[in-house]
Amino acid sequence: VILLAMTALPNFRPGYFDLHIKTIGVYYYSNDEHNNDDENPQQQQPKITTTTASSTTPVTLSPEEVRKNRPAVLKMLLLVSRLFFSETANRRRSAMRILREERRGNNMNRIQAIVYGIKLRSVRTGSDAGAGSSDSSAAMIMNRNWALLRATFQAISIVMIDTFRAVTGTILKYGLFKPITWLSRRKKQKR
């Protein structure tokens, strides 16, 4: 927030705040009978010229309309980029690296890390399913088994997605990017 002399307002504390806009317009100084050209611009009172909202307000599109109006090529590129640049995949990859390499004296191989993830998910979903219920022990065992089965299928789907992502990335790397870089180097060498 800046005053007319381009200095910060006194007692302004930075941080989050709510902004309520009363009017939107163009601010300007006018020279009328109350203001003189020789006066200091800081002493002049700014006047506000507003326009009607219907004539200048841009029409915004909803997210669904934006998605629908995208060209087909952009839709395909976004789908491919979502496949390769996924935040959850990056987190899974870093968690796998931590379990396999960075644990002191307790490093796991890939299968041990996957089994550990299945156990962790089944305990978490099993405790969520049985939370707050006073079922019999048979129902608790059934909930745990169901949670273990769900966690196993989730781990299998994660492994399949990650495998597909790795295979597709390798195919693109050696089938598209490496030949392009090789051709560009070869072209530079001929010059």
Side-chain angles (χ1 to χ4, degrees), residues 74-85 168 172:
L74 182 61
K75 289 179 184 176
M76 293 299 292
L77 286 175
L78 288 173
L79 181 67
V80 170
S81 69
R82 229 179 284 133
L83 176 70
F84 288 107
F85 305 109
T168 308
L172 283 175

Side-chain angles (χ1 to χ4, degrees), residues 87-145:
E87 179 66 28
T88 55
N90 289 339
R91 288 182 186 202
R92 272 197 307 268
R93 194 178 307 122
S94 66
M96 181 65 79
R97 181 179 38 79
I98 289 169
L99 289 174
R100 292 182 66 203
E101 299 169 1
E102 297 180 7
R103 294 179 70 194
R104 293 184 190 149
N106 235 357
N107 294 347
M108 299 179 176
N109 60 27
R110 184 173 294 275
I111 304 247
Q112 288 172 334
I114 291 170
V115 169
Y116 176 73
I118 290 171
K119 287 179 183 176
L120 194 65
R121 268 191 216 94
S122 69
V123 167
R124 188 177 58 221
T125 57
S127 65
D128 289 347
S133 64
S134 57
D135 295 344
S136 64
S137 61
M140 295 279 282
I141 291 171
M142 189 68 159
N143 281 342
R144 275 192 230 133
N145 289 340

Side-chain angles (χ1 to χ4, degrees), residues 21-25 49-60:
I21 298 174
K22 183 177 177 184
T23 58
I24 296 176
T49 302
T50 58
T51 57
T52 60
S54 62
S55 65
T56 60
T57 304
V59 177
T60 59

Side-chain angles (χ1 to χ4, degrees), residues 26-44:
V26 178
Y27 296 87
Y28 67 95
Y29 291 105
S30 107
N31 293 327
D32 56 9
E33 64 271 357
H34 299 292
N35 292 334
N36 209 345
D37 283 341
D38 300 334
E39 286 185 47
N40 187 357
Q42 290 180 350
Q43 294 173 350
Q44 292 179 353

Side-chain angles (χ1 to χ4, degrees), residues 184-191:
S184 67
R185 285 183 190 155
R186 181 133 176 159
K187 192 175 182 180
K188 287 181 184 177
Q189 287 176 354
K190 285 184 179 181
R191 287 183 190 173

